[in-house]
């Protein structure tokens, strides 16, 4: 059996096209959605991510601002800027590109972002709302994965779901979303004993490990839905996921590729969250 490939790139493009009308409707009400992206430091990968986010905003007619600081900047200056952005009516979403340099208190920076502009969904209040099953902003990567399930009519209720990885950015919110959708969820980490024993039970397997081709064909259940969140740069410069795509393709029922899977969905859901923030503001709630 050869798995069906879930085309994240095409789905992301369809969604982005559908955003244009929502953006223009908001602009007519004086609320053109605006995203501010704050970057600290000269990390090349982060610079590319920030540029892609800003360009994606412009492509759907959104306003976007990029604020860049040198790595050695005083954290107080960044906190002051966040306070200004919190009060700026042209800005509906604020994103601080992570990771921050070592002299920053990352939690304090995330806590400084206004809860109703926290389009990354990392503020403790928004994490709590998600845990209670009443989310306002869902972290973009797991939100994108859930959108893939929804658009692919993949029913999660009663399914065995296994998430490899427990980070605050991907694994943990992914697990909460799957719990909220009625799946039976197991979350694995680097200390999990008999990892393959867990993954082989999974109807839905989400890999967010950060290790190239970590999930092999013998670790998955025939017919499973396999979602590869990983983005790993190989020595030859090519990108690859956490799943051995070629091997798992022959065993899975559905599978996401890297590139062209979860990656394009992540930025798309950042746009979605910013538009939702602007819609809430326009509606007065
Ligand atoms: P992370 O913070 O490094 O977390 C990795 C997780 O994998 C940790 O919970 C770790 O366990 C677990 N892990 C490591 N080795 C393991 C093993 N041998 N067995 C089981 N679990 C193991 O990474 P992240 O931020 O969640 O990102 C994960 C991957 O997704 C990375 O490749 C990243 O680049 C990618 N990513 C992609 C997108 C996208 O848009 N597609 C967005 C964000 C991240 P411990 O907690 O025990 O250490």
């Amino acid at each position: 059996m050869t798995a069906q490939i879930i085309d994240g790139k095409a789905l992301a493009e369809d969604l982005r096209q559908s955003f244009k009308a929502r953006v223009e409707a908001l602009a007519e009400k004086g609320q053109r959605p605006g995203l501010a992206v704050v970057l600290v430091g000269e990390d090349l990968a982060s610079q590319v991510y920030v540029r892609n986010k800003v360009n994606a905003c412009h492509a759907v007619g959104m306003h976007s601002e990029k604020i860049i600081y040198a790595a050695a900047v005083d954290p107080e200056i960044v906190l002051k800027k966040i306070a200004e952005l919190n009060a700026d009516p042209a800005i509906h979403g604020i994103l601080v590109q992570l990771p921050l340099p070592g002299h920053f208190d990352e939690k304090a920076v995330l806590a400084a972002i206004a809860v109703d502009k926290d389009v990354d969904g990392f503020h403790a209040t928004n994490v709590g709302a998600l845990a209670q099953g009443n989310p306002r902003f869902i972290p973009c990567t797991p939100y994108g994965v859930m959108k893939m399930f929804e658009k692919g009519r993949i029913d999660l209720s009663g399914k065995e779901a296994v998430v490899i990885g427990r980070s605050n950015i991907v694994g943990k919110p992914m697990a909460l979303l799957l719990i909220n959708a009625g799946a039976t969820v197991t979350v694995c980490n680097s200390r999990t004993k008999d990892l393959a024993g867990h993954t082989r039970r999974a109807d839905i397997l989400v890999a967010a490990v950060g290790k190239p081709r970590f999930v092999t064909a013998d670790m998955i259940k025939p017919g499973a839905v396999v979602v590869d969140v990983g983005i790993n740069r190989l020595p030859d410069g090519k990108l690859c996921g956490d799943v051995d795509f070629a091997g798992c393709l022959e065993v899975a029922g559905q599978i996401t590729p890297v590139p062209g899977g979860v990656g394009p969905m992540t930025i798309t859901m950042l746009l979605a969250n910013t538009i939702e923030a602007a819609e809430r503001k326009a509606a007065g709630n």
Side-chain angles (χ1 to χ4, degrees):
M1 176 169 126
T2 300
Q4 186 190 335
I5 295 172
I6 303 174
D7 187 344
K9 199 170 167 213
L11 177 54
E13 188 48 41
D14 284 354
L15 285 168
R16 290 186 203 193
Q17 286 302 327
S18 75
F19 291 163
K20 289 181 179 170
R22 286 168 69 189
V23 169
E24 288 318 310
L26 282 159
E28 279 170 24
K29 293 180 193 159
Q31 295 286 352
R32 184 175 293 281
L35 174 72
V37 186
V38 178
L39 172 65
V40 182
E42 290 86 28
D43 180 67
L44 276 180
S46 293
Q47 285 180 24
V48 172
Y49 291 142
V50 167
R51 194 172 58 231
N52 289 346
K53 285 167 186 172
V54 169
N55 288 346
C57 284
H58 294 158
V60 299
M62 288 168 55
H63 167 67
S64 178
E65 288 175 26
K66 168 166 78 170
I67 301 116
I68 299 176
Y69 295 103
V73 68
D74 180 348
E76 286 304 320
I77 292 175
V78 177
L79 289 170
K80 191 163 165 276
K81 184 67 194 177
I82 291 173
E84 278 170 33
L85 294 168
N86 285 342
D88 185 341
I91 295 298
H92 301 86
I94 303 168
L95 177 156
V96 177
Q97 186 68 40
L98 301 178
L100 288 165
H103 65 291
F104 273 78
D105 176 352
E106 210 161 270
K107 280 200 194 108
V109 172
L110 295 179
I113 298 172
V115 172
D116 58 351
K117 295 191 178 186
D118 170 40
V119 285
D120 249 345
F122 296 156
H123 191 290
T125 301
N126 284 320
V127 176
L130 172 61
Q132 288 186 335
N134 189 24
R136 272 177 77 78
F137 288 115
I138 300 172
C140 302
T141 299
Y143 191 8
V145 175
M146 293 303 283
K147 207 37 120 183
M148 286 174 144
F149 293 146
E150 181 196 314
K151 294 287 178 188
R153 295 179 197 279
I154 295 166
D155 186 18
L156 301 169
S157 179
K159 297 285 169 60
E160 285 285 339
V162 174
V163 180
I164 318 178
R166 56 171 166 172
S167 70
N168 289 334
I169 293 173
V170 189
K172 231 179 266 174
M174 187 74 249
L176 288 171
L177 287 162
L178 289 163
I179 289 169
N180 293 347
T184 302
V185 183
T186 303
V187 185
C188 300
N189 61 59
S190 63
R191 294 169 210 179
T192 298
K193 295 190 176 71
D194 188 20
L195 179 70
H198 292 286
T199 59
R200 275 190 214 113
R201 279 189 291 105
D203 303 307
I204 311 283
L205 178 63
V206 180
V209 194
K211 294 192 171 159
R213 302 188 185 117
F214 179 78
V215 175
T216 46
D218 58 313
M219 291 170 71
I220 63 174
K221 177 176 172 179
V225 177
V226 177
V227 176
D228 189 351
V229 177
I231 303 178
N232 307 291
R233 179 87 48 196
L234 296 172
D236 66 4
K238 288 194 180 137
L239 287 184
C240 97
D242 290 344
V243 173
D244 173 23
F245 183 79
C248 292
L249 188 65
E250 301 308 319
V251 184
Q254 296 189 56
I255 189 166
T256 67
V258 178
V262 177
M265 290 299 290
T266 296
I267 294 188
T268 302
M269 302 326 286
L270 173 67
L271 303 185
N273 277 344
T274 308
I275 294 168
E276 283 167 27
E279 285 171 344
R280 277 183 212 135
K281 192 171 170 214
N285 53 30

